[in-house]
Amino acid sequence: MPLAPWYIQGHETLWVDIDSTPEALKTFRERLIPMVHRIRPGSEGHGHLVVVSGSSGTGKTSLLHRCVHELVQLLDGEPAGIGDDGDASGSGQPPLWKRRPPARSAFIVTLDGSGNDGHGIGSRPGRTPLVPQFDMVVERVFRVVAAELGHQPGFVTGVDEPFLTWRALTDRLEVLGRRLVVIVPHIPWNDADLSRRFLRFCHDRASRGVVFFVETTHTGVEDDLAIFGERERKSITHIQTHQLRADDWAKYLELWMALRDVPAPTIDIDEDVLEYRPEPWALASISTLQDCLRRVVEDALRHNAGHLRRDHVATWFQENRPSPDDFARTPGALRRGTTR
């Protein structure tokens, strides 16, 4: 599963600055404090749209959730957590790997569970959407927040017109002094016009204390954002991930060896394993490095080996090297394992 520190206590300690994520996170942090000052409920408030783009397996999902975590921390008045992994297992801290208490300052809604064929947002497989694609986003967010609010006096429980529904929702958030963070996961748009229209939709809904985080593999995001005027771009942040670098293998291993309280077996690693440099195909996705490490550790433990050697790792990469047919047949098939 991806790292989601806003949701799971301790996930922030698992973060590792590999590939392009430090630069992307720096870009987000430069916009964060001005963003927090602007995003407030009410007619005078503003919202924000954060777009996280990059190829599959390059860490988009965990980067997005890290940004959500830092935004919510700052909104909750806990700026010390930004850029500081801290000691989540120290005295007086909540236990690791447990659900965090809900944010005091915002509702966080993740729009997962929807189908997506690259041409639109649909309902779960086998179900027919009851509302048009973009209106479905409004309906789902409204339903989740309404469930959290319960039947409080003055809260409209259903409006047929999507714009009025959204207005009723933001009106109620204004009364409560709460923000709304909407996470739209992985969107592999194949239709450029639909991609632009969806970003416009999210930007228009990101007002009055609402922040949209949109994750996409679409490579033309900068062109899509060009449709927004200069004033509108002030409420948009675009951050990108890229393919890993050769030295990211060693960085990932060193972090893995140093982690505290991770519920997984550990094993000693020979120094020459850190010096190993995977081939470029293996650096296309963090998932490949994760899969390699998991498999070779399992194999070593099964054979009672006391440590990993370079030849263990090299053999795994050799045996799992894709053939040219793999690229031609299914371009996305090289992604293995979980998303960082």
Side-chain angles (χ1 to χ4, degrees):
M1 64 176 295
L3 300 179
W6 64 268
Y7 185 77
I8 301 295
Q9 176 73 29
H11 269 198
E12 66 277 15
T13 67
L14 304 181
W15 180 265
V16 55
D17 286 335
I18 61 177
D19 62 89
S20 53
T21 52
E23 181 179 349
L25 195 55
K26 178 182 177 182
T27 298
F28 177 77
R29 286 170 173 167
E30 289 173 347
R31 304 292 301 275
L32 182 55
I33 293 179
M35 185 194 311
V36 167
H37 287 320
R38 287 169 57 87
I39 54 172
R40 56 187 183 278
S43 58
E44 300 302 319
H46 293 270
H48 207 89
L49 168 63
V50 181
V51 183
V52 182
S53 68
S55 301
S56 296
T58 55
K60 296 187 308 300
T61 305
S62 290
L63 174 62
L64 183 154
H65 287 287
R66 174 76 180 222
C67 292
V68 170
H69 172 64
E70 298 199 359
L71 169 62
V72 172
Q73 276 201 313
L74 197 54
L75 288 173
D76 277 354
E78 300 176 11
I82 297 179
D84 177 14
D85 289 338
D87 181 6
S89 60
S91 176
Q93 295 293 328
L96 294 177
W97 329 125
K98 300 295 184 180
R99 169 74 163 93
R100 283 186 184 273
R104 300 187 302 273
S105 58
F107 293 102
I108 303 176
V109 179
T110 302
L111 298 182
D112 52 6
S114 292
N116 189 323
D117 61 0
H119 297 281
I121 297 176
S123 62
R124 297 182 180 183
R127 297 181 60 186
T128 302
L130 300 178
V131 293
Q133 294 179 39
F134 295 172
D135 293 348
M136 182 184 295
V137 174
V138 174
E139 190 270 338
R140 291 187 64 189
V141 173
F142 185 90
R143 180 160 30 89
V144 172
V145 177
E148 290 195 40
L149 290 176
H151 299 288
Q152 296 187 13
F155 185 69
V156 179
T157 56
V159 180
D160 292 334
E161 211 287 316
F163 177 81
L164 296 179
T165 299
W166 196 256
R167 186 74 185 190
L169 177 61
T170 53
D171 283 347
R172 189 58 186 164
L173 294 174
E174 178 182 2
V175 172
L176 298 173
R178 302 283 293 278
R179 282 81 164 181
L180 173 64
V181 177
V182 181
I183 300 174
V184 185
H186 180 60
I187 295 184
W189 295 118
N190 295 324
D191 187 314
D193 180 63
L194 186 59
S195 173
R196 286 189 290 269
R197 289 195 289 118
F198 184 71
L199 290 179
R200 166 59 71 181
F201 166 83
C202 292
H203 178 270
D204 290 347
R205 295 300 180 274
S207 61
R208 308 180 69 205
V210 180
V211 182
F212 268 81
F213 283 84
V214 177
E215 175 189 358
T216 180
T217 57
H218 180 47
T219 57
V221 173
E222 279 298 336
D223 292 336
D224 292 343
L225 296 178
I227 65 174
F228 294 96
E230 182 178 351
R231 184 175 181 180
E232 293 175 314
R233 288 296 295 264
K234 293 180 179 179
S235 59
I236 300 174
T237 297
H238 176 211
I239 53 181
Q240 298 174 276
T241 60
H242 303 284
Q243 181 167 310
L244 282 67
R245 297 184 294 264
D247 61 348
D248 284 334
W249 165 255
K251 287 183 179 179
Y252 179 72
L253 273 181
E254 288 171 341
L255 173 84
W256 180 80
M257 293 169 63
L259 288 176
R260 303 180 303 275
D261 302 318
V262 176
T266 58
I267 192 169
D268 291 333
I269 298 178
D270 283 357
E271 191 68 27
D272 61 355
V273 176
L274 296 176
E275 298 170 357
Y276 181 79
R277 292 293 181 267
E279 296 179 25
W281 68 266
L283 298 173
S285 168
I286 181 64
S287 304
T288 303
L289 303 189
Q290 292 173 325
D291 201 17
C292 171
L293 184 59
R294 181 172 60 254
R295 300 300 181 186
V296 295
V297 167
E298 288 174 353
D299 187 65
L301 292 174
R302 187 164 51 248
H303 292 89
N304 295 319
H307 55 277
L308 290 182
R309 298 191 306 272
R310 182 189 181 100
D311 63 295
H312 291 149
V313 175
T315 299
W316 188 93
F317 280 114
Q318 179 67 30
E319 293 175 347
N320 289 272
R321 178 187 291 130
S323 69
D325 290 342
D326 292 328
F327 291 97
R329 184 169 53 248
T330 50
L334 297 182
R335 184 183 180 190
R336 298 184 176 92
T338 56
T339 303
R340 177 170 61 86

